[in-house]
């Protein structure tokens, strides 16, 4: 058996010891582990490594029909992430290639980041830090006066596992939690003391909006010029879902126009954004992190172990033990 571990350099795990140990213990000592740093302009090299691989472990490499056609032996694509929109699922299904994202490893971590963003933006931490570091200025009144979180309404868009976890954490911080989701039943909302509302009601009522949606064909640019205009209370907007859920041009215009008080994001359009030319960089009311909301020693260990166990179980024919198989 051969397993190829490959991704963009910025997305590769700094150490592959746990991954390799899990794969070898599960598949046997003769397992070949190939580790390759990927680049879009070196697809031919990637295809050469992929040609005889039985399994691919990746998070962000585009696995379209062409890439899959170059992998005659490929049986499973294990995604060491929860999203799998980089894989042509129809092509994989047609070719008999299993696609296994990690169903759960960082719910706590991402919801923890939502709370951190909410607190940091509402308390102007970035603004004050710049004032202190750059201008040596010590003036609490330099920042705008905003209400305490206890007097604000949090709106959660996407009430899955992470949205629910954020709601539980936020319950003791904000005055009210509302949420919207196309799935789920009312009981799931009521059990957490969360009021289920329509998107229009959420945009009108929320002082803070957190996006926890997965990316689908239906929610690309979900947050756009029209939705920002509908946000009546000039909210803090936090995107911890996917970058393509947000129209960044409309976002920048909304920030410039004062339709949003502040913006925080762990994801942008591109996994390797050109930060030097980004209109979001350098603003006192914008906080960005490099897709690190999931990042902790606990979550990384779970991610590495579970994604490799998915490969082991799939290749050994134990599909019932695969954490999450989407095709």
């Amino acid at each position: 058996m051969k397993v190829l571990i490959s991704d963009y350099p910025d997305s590769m795990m700094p150490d592959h010891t746990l991954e390799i140990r899990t794969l070898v213990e599960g598949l046997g000592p003769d397992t070949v582990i190939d580790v390759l740093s990927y680049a879009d302009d070196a697809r031919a090299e990637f295809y050469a490594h992929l040609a005889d691989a039985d399994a691919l472990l990746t998070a962000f490499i585009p696995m379209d029909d062409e890439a899959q056609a170059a992998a005659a032996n490929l049986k499973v694509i294990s995604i060491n992430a929860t999203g799998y929109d980089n894989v042509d699922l129809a092509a994989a299904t047609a070719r008999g290639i299993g696609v296994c994202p990690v169903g759960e490893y960082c719910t706590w971590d991402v919801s923890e980041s939502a709370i951190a963003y909410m607190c940091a933006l509402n308390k102007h931490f970035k603004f004050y830090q710049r004032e202190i570091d750059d201008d040596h200025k010590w003036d609490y009144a330099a920042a705008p006066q905003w209400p305490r979180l206890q007097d604000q309404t949090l709106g959660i868009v996407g009430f899955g596992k992470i949205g629910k976890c954020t709601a539980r954490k936020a319950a003791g911080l904000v005055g009210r939690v509302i949420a919207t989701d196309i799935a789920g039943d009312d009981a799931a909302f009521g059990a957490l003391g969360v009021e289920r509302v329509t998107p229009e009601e959420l945009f009108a009522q929320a002082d803070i909006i957190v996006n926890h949606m997965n990316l689908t064909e239906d929610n690309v640019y979900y947050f756009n010029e029209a939705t920002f205009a509908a946000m009546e209370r000039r909210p803090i907007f936090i995107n911890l879902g996917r970058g393509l859920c947000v129209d960044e041009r409309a976002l920048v215009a909304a920030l410039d126009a004062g339709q949003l008080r502040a913006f925080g994001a762990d994801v942008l359009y591109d996994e390797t954004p050109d930060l030097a030319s980004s209109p979001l960089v350098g603003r006192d009311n914008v906080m960005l992190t490099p897709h690190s909301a999931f990042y902790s020693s606990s979550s990384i260990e779970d991610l590495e172990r579970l994604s490799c166990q998915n490969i082991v179980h799939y290749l050994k024919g134990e599909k019932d033990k695969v954490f999450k198989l989407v095709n």
Side-chain angles (χ1 to χ4, degrees), residues 7-325:
D7 223 319
Y8 293 94
D10 292 344
S11 301
M12 290 280 276
M13 294 298 177
D15 180 83
H16 300 287
T17 302
L18 177 58
E19 293 170 324
I20 292 171
R21 183 171 71 243
T22 303
L23 290 167
V24 171
E25 287 178 354
L27 296 174
D30 295 332
T31 305
V32 176
I33 312 294
D34 186 8
V35 179
L36 175 69
S37 180
Y38 172 84
D40 284 326
D41 59 1
R43 288 282 275 187
E45 179 187 9
F46 172 63
Y47 289 165
H49 285 257
L50 188 64
D52 60 345
D54 296 279
L56 170 66
L57 176 62
T58 189
F60 300 112
I61 292 177
M63 286 300 295
D64 53 18
D65 185 61
E66 179 186 85
Q68 294 177 36
N73 289 341
L74 194 63
K75 301 171 183 67
V76 60
I77 301 170
S78 181
I79 309 295
N80 54 348
T82 56
Y84 50 94
D85 47 282
N86 58 306
V87 178
D88 185 332
L89 197 59
T93 303
R95 296 177 185 278
I97 300 171
V99 179
C100 308
V102 175
E104 157 59 37
Y105 75 99
C106 63
T107 292
W108 183 274
D109 305 87
V110 177
S111 65
E112 184 176 84
S113 292
I115 301 302
Y117 262 118
M118 184 171 69
C119 293
L121 288 168
N122 197 65
K123 298 300 289 185
H124 309 290
F125 283 174
K126 183 179 180 183
F127 171 82
Y128 284 130
Q129 198 65 56
R130 184 191 60 76
E131 291 260 296
I132 291 168
D133 287 345
D134 296 346
D135 301 333
H136 302 155
K137 188 175 180 180
W138 190 263
D139 181 8
Y140 72 86
Q145 290 184 0
W146 291 349
R148 61 172 67 108
L149 293 177
Q150 186 183 35
D151 297 327
Q152 297 188 55
T153 293
L154 169 64
I156 299 173
V157 182
F159 205 60
K161 283 186 283 190
I162 299 176
K164 291 182 178 70
C165 195
T166 295
R168 284 192 289 269
K169 288 184 173 70
L173 294 173
V174 300
R176 178 182 175 221
V177 181
I178 60 178
T180 187
D181 199 307
I182 59 173
D185 56 35
D186 292 340
F189 291 76
L192 293 176
V194 175
E195 182 184 346
R196 187 174 196 171
V197 297
T198 66
E200 293 77 17
E201 290 170 331
L202 186 142
F203 296 147
Q205 299 173 27
D207 300 287
I208 303 160
I209 296 174
V210 177
N211 174 40
H212 281 313
M213 291 189 296
N214 292 323
L215 183 66
T216 69
E217 291 180 357
D218 298 324
N219 63 21
V220 173
Y221 293 172
Y222 182 92
F223 297 95
N224 52 43
E225 183 178 356
T227 51
F228 290 131
M231 296 177 184
E232 297 181 8
R233 298 184 63 79
R234 296 182 58 247
I236 293 172
F237 175 48
I238 300 166
N239 184 23
L240 295 177
R242 288 292 185 181
L244 284 173
C245 288
V246 180
D247 181 338
E248 286 185 9
R249 290 186 179 182
L251 168 68
V252 170
L255 286 165
D256 290 343
Q259 292 174 310
L260 300 175
R261 280 187 288 154
F263 174 63
D266 190 51
V267 286
L268 297 174
Y269 281 172
D270 196 335
E271 280 299 321
T272 55
D274 180 5
L275 298 176
S277 63
S278 173
L280 293 170
V281 172
R283 295 173 182 251
D284 287 338
N285 64 340
V286 172
M287 295 184 68
L288 303 174
T289 47
H291 208 156
S292 60
F294 74 96
Y295 192 57
S296 69
S297 58
S298 306
S299 66
I300 291 298
E301 180 178 341
D302 288 347
L303 176 62
E304 292 183 305
R305 176 174 46 81
L306 292 169
S307 59
C308 290
Q309 286 176 342
N310 278 344
I311 290 175
V312 170
H313 291 315
Y314 193 94
L315 292 180
K316 292 175 71 172
E318 301 168 343
K319 293 183 181 179
D320 58 315
K321 295 182 181 179
V322 173
F323 193 178
K324 186 175 183 180
L325 180 62

